[in-house]
Amino acid sequence: MHNIMITRIKGTQDITFDDIGYWHYVEEAIRSISHRYSFTEIRTPIFEATELFKRSVGESTDVVQKEMYTFEDKGGRSITLRPEGTASVARAFIENSLVNLGAPIKLFYNGPMFRYEKPQAGRLRQFHQFGAEILGSESPLADFEIIEMAYSFLKELKISKTKLFINSIGCPKCREDYKTALRDYYRDKLPGMCADCQRRFDTNVLRLLDCKIDKEHAKNAPSILDYLDEDCRNHFEELQWYLRKADIEYEVDPLLVRGLDYYSRTAFEIRSSSLGSQDQLVGGGRYDGLVEYIGGNSCPAVGFAIGLERIVMLLKSEKVNVNVPEIPQVAILAFGREENIRGFDYSRRLRKMGISTYVDVMERNMRNKMKHAARIGAKISLIVGREEIERDIVTVRVMRDGSQFQVDSDYMSDYVVDKLRDIS
C-alpha cells in the first residue's frame, strides 16, 4: 500500500521562505501605526457562538447564508469560525465591560478569518485581516481618524495608486424610505436579474447596488444621498470637510454599500488601481447599532478592515523592498562532543549580543558543514575542532573571501562583532 500525500485544504496557503519577509514587514507596520495612533491590541477567539454572527452580520447576508464555517461541538453548541473581526470585538467590548474605561475605546486586531467562498487571487478561505475600531464616539472626527489611520498604514507600506471612495447609507430611520424607492425601481427589472439579486430583493435590497452581474441597472438607481435626514446629511458633510482640510482626495460613490447588516451612515473603501477587478484594499464604516444588536447598551462605533493577502500581493507585484527573513550572521561548525559543547557556549555568547547564530546540528564532515554554511548565507563561520579545544582558540572564517583567523576564545565575541562590522 502506497502512502498518499496529504495536501493543504483548498483555499488555504503555506506562508514559507519566499513570502514570510513580506508578512513580517506588514505586521511590523500594523504594530507601528497602531501604536502611533494610540490604539490598543485586542485578541479574540478564532471561533464564537454562531448566534453572534447571525445577529450582527445579518441572517440575509451572503456571509451568513453561504460562507460561514459552522459546526456543532461535542457539547451540542453551534460554533462558527469567525468570518470577520468587528462582531467579536463588539462582543468582547460588552463582555469585558470596556465601556467602563471611558469613551472612546480605540482597539486594533490582526489575525485569521474564515469564509467558504471561491478562492481567487488575494481572496482565500482562510485569510488574514488587520482592523481598527473606535467605540463610543458618534462624531465625524472618529470616522475621519479611522480613514486617516488606514491611509497612514498604506503609506507606511509604500503602497501608492490608491483612492478613497465614500458614501453615507443613512441611519435605520431614513434608510427605510430609500429601501422602498429601491424596490420600486428594481421591481420590473427583477425577472431578468441573477438569482442572488432576486433573493436579496426582499432580504437585503441595498446589495443589489453592488451586484457584479447586474451592475448596469445600478447606474440609474435612486441615490441614497437624496434620502438622508438632516442629521445624517450633516454628519456626512462634516466628514467631507475634515477630509478636504487634510488634503485626502476622495470620491463620493452613491453605489457603495457594505455587505454586512450592521453598517450605518459612513461607508468607505480604499481601492487600488494595481489590483484589477478585486481592487478593494480597505473596507470600513460606521456601525452605531451593532453593540446594541448583540446585547449591550447603545454605543456608536466606526472601524475598518484590511485584507493582508491583497497587501502582500501588491507589495510583491510592486517589488517593494522588504526585510527578508534574518539570515544567520554566524554559523558554528563543531566536530565531536566536547567541541559541540564549546560551540553552543559560543552561540549563547553571540546571541546575547543580538547576533543571529546558526549551530550546525548535523554530524557531517568539515567540507559538507562548510558547504551548508555557505548555502544558508552565513557571513562568518566559527570552526571548533580538536586543535581549537586544546589551544583554547576558535578559527574564524570569513565566508565571502575564505580568509581565516585564529582567535583566543575569550576575545571571540568582540572579534566577531568587529569582523561583521568590517564586512557589512
Side-chain angles (χ1 to χ4, degrees), residues 192-197 208 210-217:
M193 295 177 72
C194 72
D196 277 340
C197 283
L208 271 65
D210 67 355
C211 175
K212 300 296 182 280
I213 299 170
D214 292 308
K215 57 185 176 185
E216 284 300 310
H217 294 305

Side-chain angles (χ1 to χ4, degrees), residues 187-201:
R187 189 167 280 108
D188 61 339
K189 301 171 179 61
L190 202 60
M193 295 177 72
C194 72
D196 277 340
C197 283
Q198 294 190 19
R199 173 174 56 81
R200 290 168 179 161
F201 181 81

